[in-house]
Amino acid sequence: MSDSANHDETSDQELEPMELPGRRLRETREARGLSVQDVASNLRLSSQVIRALEQDDYAALPSATFVSGYLRAYARLLEISESELSLPRQAVSNPRLVKSVSTASEPRSRQFPMRLISVLIVLALLASSVVWWINHGNELLFERDDNGASSLSDTRPHLSLPERVVSPPELSAVPSPLETPAEPVDPAPAGAEPTREAEPAAAEPVPVADESAAPVLVQANMELRYQGDSWTEITDNTGERLAFGLVERGTVLQLVGEAPFSIQLGYAPAVEVIFNDEVFDHRPFQRRGVARFNLGGPEHNRPVTR
Amino acid sequence: MGMLGRLKGLFSYDISIDLGTANTLIYVRGEGIILDEPSVVAIRQEAGPNSTKRIAAVGAEAKAMLGRTPGNIVAIRPMKDGVIADFTITEKMLQHFIRKVHENKFKAFKPSPRVLICVPCGATQVERRAIKESAAGAGAREVYLIEEPMAAAIGAGMPISEASGSMVLDIGGGTTEIAVLSLNGIVYSNSVRIGGDRFDEAIINYVRRNYGTLIGEATAERIKEEIGSAYPSAEVREIEVRGRNLAEGIPRSFTLNSNEILEALQEPLSGIVGAVKTGLEQTPPELGADIAEHGMVLTGGGALLRDLDRLLMEETGLPVIISEEPLTCVARGGGRALELMDEHGGDLFAID
């Protein structure tokens, strides 16, 4: 774009003395037997403007955009093609704008030194983090293993291996440190049932685990009440899209599906969410009005990050 | 904007996007307009149990598919009436365009440009937010919005900084924006949801009513471009088109002339004229006098409709001029606004 503009400027400078369009327009108009008044009334301009155009007197005319528009309209009226008539080019792509209010000087962030410094700082940070990881990273891994083993050893005997309670917990944990993370997460139902009957005291942790897993399979109902327009996108556990689009104010959406739901609200403050007949407070998930969250699943109450 | 943003800025452009119903244009600061593609996305439904949706084509390639797709592909125009009709697909489309713009220069990095997007002045807060978020989702580092007529006026080179009224009429694919500007601000603005698409629809309806023949959107657009006009003229032009005859059910070719199309376009055109007249009525008298002296400026694709300026001149009695390169005015104006924002700080225009 800038190249073509430059090109036009230079060609204009070469041709300017003879090629301004005023004379050509006047001659064509006279050849067609039109008066200035005719042209002026046809283009809805004053006759002074038409005379100024014919005399190439741009000082008497409004800004360049209008002049080139008038010239093109005039040329069209006289059936002269635009390419025949060399229109004076001006900074159309680069309009002059003046600030009307005070000028506040803002520090320019795009300057070269700033960029260089920011690059250097980031590189230094990266280098230091690599050095730190080489020194401390391995220790960290070991620490995590120890913590995992010791905390798991307390719950493990109660859940699935009641006969091992007699043996010291440290011994049961040590032989298989790698398997330990998997077991407390999914208590096998076959193992859990006998535990509840045989050991009532140890049964307490089991129902807790059951409760958190139960809603996953249940058909849940949800109601959304709109006090204002909001973009809404709701997907349930099967991946079925229950709502998608702009919902207008005053609407009440009734939805039934398999929990958990993945919900995205474009303007959350205007929407009241009622999940299984309970009002759900989604304010913690709102960021600048937009809320993304999951409802009714194990990820319940955890903001969804994108 | 923190350090990271500044770092990302090293590998991205500052761009201004005219996210239009018909076409999306991207102006890159310092480079000019480097993308001009139809706002169309073709989506393929993959076979199989998961049946995922894939983007098959975006832009000109997808537009060629409009109305010609097999069952598993749909060509969608995600923008309607100047605002987002399908959030996810708009985001994907923007992502594709932004990546395409950065392709030749910063291939190795994920682009995260500063983006200025032009929105219709009639867009609601929700629609503005949707546009802003889809740009952010497409990877934009910072998103600014500017009202379309403001960008159009800057792009057309109108003296909007002066204490003098300038009227701009931007006829896009989905909306027509009318605004009166003075001292870098909008004095009056109105947006009517009439644009190039409504012209096409009107032609389709006319042909169905009078010829009992069904034509597609692409054909209607071609008719409009070749023989469409807004004001009667002595010269009558003709075009031969093909469409499906409703009675016989067989494709037939027939000839249309420019007077018929003029008749077909009466309804949307009178909508635009009405909106212009309302705008002039609502303009304060001093600014109205300035407009009567200098004239109003037409921008946008609609300005290319033959003799539209003549129609408006006859209807309003004011001078009407067509800007240079009306199709790119908004995008160029947005790019200029981005430059001005950096030169003068953010408070030059009302930008959210």
Side-chain angles (χ1 to χ4, degrees):
Chain A
M1 171 152 272
S2 57
D3 281 356
S4 69
N6 287 339
H7 176 74
D8 285 335
E9 268 171 33
T10 51
S11 63
D12 273 356
Q13 278 161 10
E14 286 161 19
L15 302 169
E16 209 162 19
M18 47 195 284
E19 286 281 349
L20 277 173
R23 204 168 59 100
R24 173 79 196 272
L25 287 170
R26 184 167 52 82
E27 281 166 3
T28 320
R29 172 177 63 79
E30 282 164 359
R32 281 169 199 263
L34 293 165
S35 69
V36 170
Q37 202 56 50
D38 292 338
V39 174
S41 68
N42 199 302
L43 298 180
R44 303 291 192 274
L45 293 166
S46 69
S47 41
Q48 289 99 304
V49 171
I50 304 295
R51 277 197 205 93
L53 287 173
E54 291 185 352
Q55 285 154 12
D56 299 320
D57 179 11
Y58 298 131
L61 291 166
S63 74
T65 312
F66 291 104
V67 173
S68 79
Y70 298 160
L71 286 171
R72 268 177 292 142
Y74 194 175
R76 211 145 42 100
L77 181 72
L78 299 174
E79 290 165 3
I80 308 172
S81 79
E82 279 178 39
S83 49
E84 266 179 77
L85 199 73
S86 69
L87 300 174
R89 297 285 303 196
Q90 69 319 103
V92 165
S93 57
N94 207 18
R96 282 183 301 278
L97 274 120
V98 196
K99 210 177 173 204
S100 51
V101 204
S102 65
T103 314
S105 66
E106 215 182 32
R108 292 286 303 271
S109 60
R110 326 220 101 251
Q111 283 163 355
F112 181 69
M114 267 314 284
R115 291 186 181 195
L116 192 71
I117 290 167
S118 55
V119 170
L120 286 176
I121 290 173
V122 170
L123 284 178
L125 278 172
L126 280 176
S128 59
S129 64
V130 166
V131 168
W132 182 88
W133 193 82
I134 289 168
N135 290 342
H136 301 272
N138 293 340
E139 290 171 26
L140 198 75
L141 281 180
F142 284 126
E143 277 172 29
R144 200 183 296 149
D145 259 4
D146 290 349
N147 286 343
S150 58
S151 62
L152 288 167
S153 59
D154 297 335
T155 55
R156 207 173 105 101
H158 300 290
L159 276 173
S160 55
L161 303 165
E163 70 274 14
R164 285 208 185 174
V165 176
V166 275
S167 68
E170 288 81 5
L171 280 179
S172 70
V174 170
S176 56
L178 289 174
E179 295 170 21
T180 44
E183 288 188 14
V185 181
D186 54 342
E193 280 304 317
T195 318
R196 201 181 293 171
E197 285 163 359
E199 268 188 283
E204 275 172 1
V206 180
V208 175
D210 272 355
E211 246 172 29
S212 70
V216 177
L217 305 166
V218 165
Q219 286 276 319
N221 64 320
M222 189 165 56
E223 191 177 82
L224 288 95
R225 292 181 184 159
Y226 288 82
Q227 270 102 48
D229 293 355
S230 170
W231 175 264
T232 307
E233 195 173 342
I234 298 170
T235 318
D236 77 358
N237 194 29
T238 59
E240 193 191 342
R241 194 182 265 175
L242 300 175
F244 180 73
L246 184 69
V247 181
E248 288 180 3
R249 61 175 299 172
T251 316
V252 176
L253 274 184
Q254 300 269 15
L255 302 168
V256 177
E258 208 174 298
F261 299 101
S262 158
I263 299 167
Q264 182 179 341
L265 297 172
Y267 184 56
V271 186
E272 195 185 3
V273 177
I274 295 153
F275 179 68
N276 283 341
D277 305 324
E278 266 179 43
V279 177
F280 177 71
D281 182 16
H282 52 67
R283 263 173 301 178
F285 311 113
Q286 287 178 19
R287 281 193 63 226
R288 292 187 297 169
V290 181
R292 292 195 184 87
F293 52 94
N294 288 337
L295 253 184
E299 292 168 312
H300 197 60
N301 294 353
R302 199 179 303 158
V304 181
T305 48
R306 279 228 298 194
Chain B
M1 257 308 96
M3 186 78 69
L4 191 64
R6 223 166 278 158
L7 189 73
K8 279 180 173 174
L10 287 177
F11 307 112
S12 297
Y13 289 120
D14 287 352
I15 64 181
S16 122
I17 302 180
D18 173 12
L19 187 58
T21 315
N23 291 294
T24 297
L25 281 85
I26 298 189
Y27 175 99
V28 172
R29 195 173 153 187
E31 311 251 331
I33 292 196
I34 62 174
L35 184 130
D36 178 1
E37 298 236 25
S39 310
V40 185
V41 181
I43 291 163
R44 183 179 339 134
Q45 184 86 44
E46 301 266 287
N50 291 339
S51 69
T52 50
K53 285 178 178 171
R54 283 258 174 108
I55 306 262
V58 182
E61 208 185 325
K63 193 186 179 187
M65 299 181 183
L66 263 183
R68 298 192 169 104
T69 50
N72 64 332
I73 297 180
V74 256
I76 295 176
R77 297 177 59 176
M79 304 289 292
K80 202 168 179 60
D81 296 336
V83 293
I84 292 181
D86 191 320
F87 187 86
T88 323
I89 293 180
T90 306
E91 193 174 297
K92 292 276 181 236
M93 183 179 79
L94 274 181
Q95 206 167 23
H96 177 92
F97 286 152
I98 289 174
R99 202 177 299 142
K100 196 166 173 185
V101 162
H102 286 80
E103 210 161 57
N104 47 359
K105 207 165 178 185
F106 310 110
K107 218 168 195 167
F109 304 95
K110 191 168 170 288
S112 58
R114 282 204 316 166
V115 173
L116 181 133
I117 299 192
C118 311
V119 289
C121 48
T124 63
Q125 285 296 319
V126 178
E127 290 163 342
R128 276 160 210 256
R129 182 182 292 274
I131 288 178
K132 217 168 175 173
E133 293 212 341
S134 72
R141 172 163 50 101
E142 283 173 72
V143 187
Y144 307 97
L145 301 182
I146 187 171
E147 311 244 319
E148 232 163 70
M150 174 69 95
I154 297 171
M158 294 170 80
I160 61 160
S161 307
E162 290 167 20
S164 148
S166 309
M167 185 169 195
V168 65
L169 180 64
D170 180 50
I171 305 174
T175 59
T176 292
E177 316 270 320
I178 300 140
V180 176
L181 305 134
S182 176
L183 291 171
N184 292 336
I186 292 179
V187 179
Y188 168 86
S189 77
N190 187 18
S191 169
V192 285
R193 302 206 162 177
I194 301 174
D197 290 348
R198 287 285 297 275
F199 293 160
D200 296 349
E201 261 172 52
I203 292 173
I204 292 174
N205 290 338
Y206 179 87
V207 170
R208 191 174 51 209
R209 217 171 34 238
N210 294 356
Y211 285 82
T213 305
L214 213 57
I215 54 169
E217 276 171 45
T219 308
E221 195 178 350
R222 193 162 57 88
I223 295 170
K224 177 184 71 182
E225 281 164 9
E226 289 188 16
I227 64 165
S229 71
Y231 197 75
S233 75
E235 184 200 0
V236 175
R237 286 172 308 277
E238 292 192 332
I239 187 174
E240 191 178 319
V241 290
R242 282 165 200 83
R244 174 159 56 86
N245 188 299
L246 286 168
E248 301 171 45
I250 293 168
R252 290 264 178 250
S253 93
F254 55 101
T255 309
L256 289 166
N257 69 40
S258 51
N259 286 338
E260 291 172 303
I261 301 308
L262 174 65
E263 194 191 323
L265 296 178
Q266 278 315 303
E267 199 214 318
L269 285 174
S270 63
I272 291 176
V273 169
V276 170
K277 283 185 175 166
T278 314
L280 288 168
E281 239 173 68
Q282 308 268 321
T283 304
E286 281 301 324
L287 299 177
D290 295 333
I291 295 162
E293 195 187 335
H294 300 149
M296 70 182 91
V297 175
L298 289 187
T299 67
L304 297 173
L305 184 68
R306 198 172 281 106
D307 286 333
L308 183 60
D309 54 339
R310 173 56 49 195
L311 173 74
L312 290 167
M313 269 195 238
E314 296 296 334
E315 290 282 343
T316 62
L318 301 181
V320 177
I321 65 170
I322 299 171
S323 72
E324 269 181 65
E325 298 176 49
L327 281 172
T328 60
C329 259
V330 172
R332 278 187 288 123
R336 183 79 187 115
L338 207 54
E339 283 165 27
L340 290 162
M341 256 166 53
D342 275 4
E343 280 167 27
H344 298 288
D347 56 341
L348 181 54
F349 315 105
I351 288 174
D352 14 24

